[in-house]
Every structure is written in structure tokens, then in C-alpha cells.
Amino acid sequence: MASTATSSTTVDSESSRAQTEARAAVLASLESAGSGYDTQYQSRAADLHSNAASITRQEAEVRRQTAALAKETAKWQTEAVKATKGLNEFGDLQTWAETMERDFLVLEETLRLAEGGEEFESASGGSRWR
């Protein structure tokens, strides 16, 4: 029976060695199959990190340009307010001039009637009163 115990130990030893080799072969196969994906994902990760740095620089540039645009917009807004005020003043001046012209026409008509209705040329440039 000693030979049976020895052969049993040898079989267990060979079985254990075969399992170890099979396990190593399966792991090597999985590692080999995964290395293609690993390389691809490592490349993508490197691209992502590179792009993140580029995006950070672009964000800083956009912030800088936005601040410059806000400053320029404020300057143009000030100019627009000045122009609007000038146009309003011009409108007020036009209204004043029209009021003055009407007053002069009324005064001319009053003078004409006071002098007896004689015909004379208007001082405001154009119409002749009869």
C-alpha cells in the first residue's frame, strides 16, 4: 500500500501542478485579450487629460474676452445714452422752433390785421398775406 500512497501523492501533485498551469494559462489569455483594450483606454485617458488642460486654457481665454467685451459694452452703452440725450435735445429744439414759428405767424397776422389788412411778405420766409 505504500506504492498506492506514493502514486496518490504523485497524482495529487501532478493534478495541482496542472491546475496551476491551467490557471496561469487562463490568466495569461485574459491578460493578453485585455491588453488591447487596456492600451486603447490608456490612450483615451491620456487624450482626456490633454484635452482637459486645453479646455482649462480656453476657459481662461473666454473669461478674459468676456471681461473685455463687458468693458467695451459699457463704453458703447455710455455713448448710446449720450446720443439718445442729444437726439432728445434736438427734438426739444425742433419743438421749440416750431412753437416760435407759429407764434411769429400769429404775430404777423395780428400786425397785418392791426395795420388794416395790407398785403405784406412773411418774415418767416414764404407766404404772402392778403
Side-chain angles (χ1 to χ4, degrees):
M1 264 218 195
S3 69
T4 309
T6 305
S7 70
S8 169
T9 305
T10 305
V11 170
D12 286 341
S13 171
E14 286 179 22
S15 174
S16 175
R17 189 171 52 95
Q19 284 180 350
T20 302
E21 287 175 3
R23 183 175 291 133
V26 167
L27 289 176
S29 173
L30 289 175
E31 190 172 314
S32 167
S35 69
Y37 293 113
D38 186 44
T39 303
Q40 180 183 2
Y41 291 133
Q42 285 181 1
S43 172
R44 286 184 181 179
D47 287 345
L48 287 173
H49 287 292
S50 172
N51 290 342
S54 176
I55 289 171
T56 301
R57 285 190 302 273
Q58 290 173 3
E59 284 177 344
E61 179 64 19
V62 167
R63 282 190 191 100
R64 190 182 67 75
Q65 291 291 337
T66 301
L69 180 61
K71 186 176 180 180
E72 192 69 20
T73 300
K75 185 168 58 169
W76 282 108
Q77 182 66 30
T78 301
E79 290 298 320
V81 167
K82 286 179 186 177
T84 301
K85 184 177 178 184
L87 287 174
N88 287 340
E89 288 175 0
F90 179 74
D92 292 345
L93 178 63
Q94 183 177 1
T95 302
W96 174 80
E98 290 170 356
T99 303
M100 292 298 292
E101 183 178 14
R102 278 192 304 273
D103 289 347
F104 283 132
L105 290 174
V106 169
L107 183 58
E108 287 173 354
E109 179 66 14
T110 303
L111 287 174
R112 186 186 68 76
L113 293 173
E115 292 176 353
E118 297 177 10
E119 187 177 314
F120 68 96
E121 190 172 328
S122 171
S124 62
S127 63
R128 296 180 62 109
W129 295 98
R130 295 183 193 162

